[in-house]
Amino acid sequence: MDFASNLFSTGTLSQILVGLSRTTILFIVSSGMSLILGVLRIPNVAHGSLYMIGAFAAWSVIQFLGGGLFAFLAAMIVAPLIVAAVGFVLERGFFSYLYEREHLMLLLLTFSFALILGDLVKIVWGPEYRSITVPAFFQGSAEIFGLPLPWYNLFLLLIGPCIAVFLWLVINKTKLGKIARAAAVDGEMVGAVGINVGWIFAFTFVLGSFLAGLGGALIAPMVNISLGMDHSLIIESFLIVIIGGLGNMWGTLLGSLIFGLTQSLGILVWPQFGIAFPYLAVVAVLVVRPRGLLSSTW
Amino acid sequence: MRKVVLFLAMAALTFCVAGSGVAGDTIKVGFVDTYSGPATTFTNDVLDGFKMAAEKINAKGGVLGKKITWVTRDDKFKPDIGLTMAKELILKENVDLLVGTINSATALAVSDLAKKEKIPFFVTFSKSDKITGEKGHRYVFGMNENTEMAGRATAKVLAKKKFVKYWIAGDDYEYGHAIANGVFNHLKTLNPKVQLLGESWWKVGETDFTPYITQILAAKPDFVIVATGGGGMVNFQKAAQSTGFNKKVPFYQHTAIELSTLSPQGQNAPEGVYGTANYLFYNPATKENKAFVDEFRKTYNRYPKSGALYGYMTAQFIAKSFEKAGKVDREKFIDAMEGMTLGSPVGKMEVRACDHQVTLPMYFGVTKKTPKYEFLIASDVVSVPGKDYMPSCAEIAKARAK
């Protein structure tokens, strides 16, 4: 097996681009998780469920509007908003009562909600697989050295940086974002200067949920929307957040890049064991920098 | 005082008699299967098919004057839970028979229990060839195809095609490897010219197949055997459609032509995908199949999938065997089951005496759009009869002797 010739083949560029489009989804979902982890200190196990609801909600919106590009774009906005609303109910209705308690309680609560939301999805949408298709506008694929790169993946490549910039602006340039960052570092102090920390937490959780929903909605046209789609994602997201540095947004971006690229290049180099590469990268990072690549907010 | 004691004793006695009378009036079937999570899309059909047949049998007076009843337990796709649930069904619910499960590991665990407890167990979806193969025994019955059978049936059809350079890809667990190797190894014996160009394996539940597809395309194989299962079927087909993979390289997926894979995608599923299935509601276009489909649609307002056929046949086999046995006795029931035949929507079925495996036909076809339905169907369907692709009784005996 000649790894080098595999790596420096015509397929490399297309494989990198495909890997980057996967990175986009990973980043969007993980950034929501990282945000919640950084500010609220909750390892939100239910984050994957919110992502799943995002995908199902996108399906419903597109069904309701009868398909087409407009329905697709509407779904990309409405579905995350629905998930944000669910996040609001979760945070205000349940999580907010446990911030004073041990963190283990919060962790257990998010775990419970992962199970409850999974069942709720089954009640609302049923056990059947759902599928939405890429709107005609994005159908087909570009050719790079004779290898296909779907237009939808290219669209994701554009969306990714937009979200990153948007998040950066919200967190660094808005008052709310600045307070949230301060709350992440020292919540008690922020409370002491008269700011309602509860609402900052609610805002953060809602924004995090919105991102989970957006990730779910964006991936929906590429995958089979089904119960259980939350499971594999939640593990990947956790790993990304950990290798990036807990709660660090740029770290999350870096983690997503490592995860997405090692996988797609791993497949190119050694297809039988492609799945192992991102995890090997995680191990490598944790051995060298156990606290994550960039500084953790913890 | 004595009167009171006597009264209580009488009452207790009455309850005992009444209680045992109730228990004896039914044939109780215990379902242990996955009723939460993604697998429900398959398992619900098994249960619904069973219920439909059982209710019809009950309406006609039941079996040996007894009604068929059923209880279900959710194994949550976990073998340990499945085993606990199966024990509970035997001990607490006093079931006469067990039916399930979609998870192969659970099926093997419950099969082992069934052997120890001497209780008949009908396997209705899991695809491990060990169930009626090397780990088969007197108390277990196979109601659907397994990986070995799917591999042989597919190899038989593919051997007649001109493809030479093959690529294998699939879910990196038992089912994926079993299907892919099943097809390729048998193909290799039937057509020694074929060669394996390479393999790729992804984790179960993989959502994005695009990087794998570009990698396979770069290697330029003639044909790809894609061994995914469950929800991965749809995921892979969507990626094949968006990359145009199906137009560049023909590929095969076991169950690619099944309704559960094609109906969620509507008109947007990729055309030209090779697949196999035990059941297609539109094929064969016989009176029996049409009657089954009509009845199922009337009852549940949807088209029946493979699972519905498995459940439907299971209930009928159970009823017929108890009738033949003449009483509710497990050993006599099994004796009656061996070699039992049954008219089914897909023709005459037999439960082979040597391995307790039902002789279902395997349908091989290629996905195609049709104005008749909102989803793609299989075209150019080739039916491979059970006897042509099932391992022979001698092979089964050899596998079990190991």
Side-chain angles (χ1 to χ4, degrees):
Chain A
M1 199 158 307
D2 194 354
F3 298 143
S5 75
N6 275 347
L7 191 58
F8 300 104
S9 64
T10 50
T12 312
L13 180 64
S14 113
Q15 205 69 350
I16 287 174
L17 289 173
V18 165
L20 284 176
S21 69
R22 180 182 173 76
T23 301
T24 302
I25 300 281
L26 289 174
F27 170 67
I28 291 170
V29 178
S30 310
S31 61
M33 178 183 273
S34 178
L35 204 62
I36 292 171
L37 194 65
V39 177
L40 281 72
R41 309 273 148 143
I42 313 176
N44 185 14
V45 184
H47 202 69
S49 314
L50 295 171
Y51 155 87
M52 178 164 72
I53 294 174
F56 274 99
W59 177 84
S60 289
V61 172
I62 288 173
Q63 284 312 100
F64 183 73
L65 294 176
L69 185 61
F70 170 73
F72 170 78
L73 294 174
M76 293 307 120
I77 297 163
V78 176
L81 285 175
I82 292 170
V83 179
V86 174
F88 182 77
V89 172
L90 286 185
E91 201 279 338
R92 283 294 91 184
F94 303 93
F95 295 148
S96 62
Y97 294 103
L98 288 178
Y99 291 137
E100 303 299 317
R101 309 279 283 277
E102 262 186 88
H103 263 85
L104 187 63
M105 301 291 284
L106 271 169
L107 183 67
L108 284 176
L109 191 65
T110 65
F111 184 69
S112 315
F113 270 108
L115 298 174
I116 293 166
L117 291 176
D119 272 346
L120 272 179
V121 167
K122 189 169 142 188
I123 291 166
V124 175
W125 283 283
E128 300 293 313
Y129 296 149
R130 307 285 178 184
S131 173
I132 50 182
T133 40
V134 176
F137 185 74
F138 294 114
Q139 267 167 22
S141 53
E143 295 257 325
I144 294 160
F145 296 121
L147 293 175
L149 181 69
W151 289 118
Y152 191 74
N153 288 56
L154 280 169
F155 162 71
L156 289 179
L157 279 180
L158 284 179
I159 288 281
C162 295
I163 307 261
V165 169
F166 166 78
L167 274 180
W168 183 80
L169 285 176
V170 168
I171 292 166
N172 288 285
K173 297 292 165 188
T174 66
K175 194 177 165 198
L176 217 49
K178 284 176 187 167
I179 297 170
R181 271 194 301 152
V185 179
D186 193 342
E188 227 168 293
M189 194 64 213
V190 171
V193 296
I195 291 166
N196 187 339
V197 180
W199 285 101
I200 294 297
F201 281 9
F203 162 75
T204 311
F205 199 89
V206 166
L207 182 59
S209 306
F210 180 88
L211 289 167
L214 182 62
L218 281 172
I219 205 165
M222 296 173 69
V223 302
N224 169 30
I225 305 165
S226 68
L227 297 168
M229 64 186 284
D230 47 341
H231 294 320
S232 68
L233 181 105
I234 194 81
I235 296 167
E236 290 180 4
S237 276
F238 263 128
L239 289 176
I240 285 167
V241 169
I242 289 166
I243 58 173
L246 294 180
N248 188 313
M249 206 50 75
W250 293 113
T252 307
L253 182 60
L254 202 58
S256 310
L257 279 169
I258 290 173
F259 218 89
L261 286 178
T262 44
Q263 188 186 26
S264 63
L265 289 176
I267 293 165
L268 188 71
V269 176
W270 204 357
Q272 288 101 309
F273 298 99
I275 41 176
F277 285 83
Y279 299 95
L280 287 175
V282 169
V283 171
V285 168
L286 291 181
V287 167
V288 180
R289 284 184 70 93
R291 285 182 66 82
L293 289 168
L294 301 184
S295 65
S296 153
T297 59
W298 281 49
Chain B
M1 186 63 198
R2 272 181 63 186
K3 265 186 187 173
V4 176
V5 172
L6 203 67
F7 174 76
L8 284 177
M10 290 277 282
L13 208 66
T14 320
F15 270 113
C16 280
V17 172
S20 67
V22 169
D25 276 347
T26 62
I27 289 170
K28 202 168 183 183
V29 181
F31 278 79
V32 50
D33 216 335
T34 307
Y35 295 114
S36 54
T40 21
T41 181
F42 305 105
T43 53
N44 281 350
D45 261 50
V46 175
L47 189 59
D48 285 347
F50 181 92
K51 279 188 197 167
M52 194 172 86
E55 267 157 13
K56 208 157 70 178
I57 292 161
N58 288 344
K60 284 183 186 157
V63 183
L64 307 170
K66 298 171 203 298
K67 295 256 188 296
I68 298 177
T69 59
W70 53 89
V71 273
T72 60
R73 290 287 186 279
D74 184 4
D75 67 12
K76 301 189 174 11
F77 209 69
K78 293 195 172 80
D80 54 330
I81 299 180
L83 194 59
T84 313
M85 292 300 163
K87 277 181 190 159
E88 192 192 302
L89 284 172
I90 297 171
L91 295 173
K92 283 199 194 142
E93 298 281 351
N94 283 318
V95 296
D96 297 295
L97 309 161
L98 286 170
V99 177
T101 80
I102 193 160
N103 182 316
S104 286
T106 315
L108 285 165
V110 174
S111 170
D112 214 35
L113 177 74
K115 190 178 169 185
K116 279 185 202 124
E117 299 286 335
K118 297 189 189 307
I119 185 163
F121 173 42
F122 290 81
V123 179
T124 45
F125 223 109
S126 60
K127 310 281 188 201
S128 169
D129 55 342
K130 294 193 180 87
I131 295 165
T132 54
E134 59 176 277
K135 298 260 163 107
H137 52 83
R138 179 171 164 82
Y139 298 92
V140 73
F141 295 89
M143 289 289 120
N144 58 287
E145 97 294 359
N146 59 42
T147 52
E148 175 70 15
M149 288 153 74
R152 285 180 189 233
T154 309
K156 222 176 162 59
V157 181
L158 283 180
K160 294 188 187 123
K161 312 238 173 220
K162 286 185 200 127
F163 312 119
V164 177
K165 286 182 279 177
Y166 278 79
W167 188 282
I168 288 177
D171 287 350
D172 201 7
Y173 78 129
E174 166 75 17
Y175 174 74
H177 287 275
I179 280 280
N181 295 335
V183 175
F184 191 77
N185 294 344
H186 288 295
L187 181 61
K188 189 107 187 140
T189 52
L190 293 172
N191 179 6
K193 269 192 287 179
V194 299
Q195 48 170 289
L196 188 61
L197 220 54
E199 304 169 39
S200 14
W201 298 99
W202 47 75
K203 67 174 189 296
V204 184
E206 176 60 70
T207 46
D208 184 9
F209 290 102
T210 325
Y212 294 94
I213 284 176
T214 48
Q215 199 270 339
I216 295 169
L217 283 176
K220 297 195 171 63
D222 296 339
F223 196 87
V224 186
I225 295 162
V226 182
T228 43
M233 299 293 296
V234 179
N235 284 349
F236 192 89
Q237 293 202 354
K238 286 179 97 163
Q241 179 75 321
S242 68
T243 52
F245 184 58
N246 55 313
K247 295 198 181 84
K248 294 188 170 86
V249 185
F251 71 94
Y252 160 84
Q253 286 177 300
H254 180 44
T255 72
I257 54 172
E258 238 178 34
L259 190 59
S260 43
T261 307
L262 293 174
S263 79
Q265 302 181 83
Q267 288 291 347
N268 297 296
E271 284 192 288
V273 180
Y274 293 80
T276 31
N278 261 163
Y279 183 66
L280 305 165
F281 72 82
Y282 44 84
N283 188 297
T286 56
K287 203 169 78 228
E288 291 81 7
N289 195 16
K290 196 178 173 302
F292 171 63
V293 175
D294 288 346
E295 193 188 350
F296 194 87
R297 285 192 76 190
K298 217 177 102 195
T299 317
Y300 302 109
N301 198 25
R302 63 176 197 269
Y303 291 109
K305 294 179 281 199
S306 305
L309 176 72
Y310 305 148
Y312 187 72
M313 282 194 321
T314 302
Q316 288 178 327
F317 267 125
I318 289 172
K320 207 173 163 188
S321 283
F322 274 123
E323 290 288 359
K324 193 179 162 197
K327 60 177 186 172
V328 183
D329 177 283
R330 289 171 191 170
E331 299 303 325
K332 287 207 165 61
F333 171 82
I334 291 170
D335 293 339
M337 270 299 282
E338 292 186 336
M340 166 83 57
T341 56
L342 184 78
S344 86
V346 291
K348 197 175 161 192
M349 287 306 109
E350 185 195 336
V351 171
R352 288 205 307 198
C354 70
D355 62 351
H356 294 186
Q357 176 65 48
V358 72
T359 56
L360 281 164
M362 187 74 82
Y363 299 103
F364 186 96
V366 185
T367 58
K368 196 186 172 191
K369 280 189 182 154
T370 168
K372 214 173 155 193
Y373 300 107
E374 293 160 0
F375 41 81
L376 273 67
I377 58 156
S379 73
D380 308 320
V381 178
V382 179
S383 168
V384 187
K387 65 175 170 42
D388 286 0
Y389 72 86
M390 286 167 68
S392 69
C393 286
E395 285 175 280
I396 294 288
K398 211 173 125 194
R400 288 190 187 179
K402 268 183 200 167

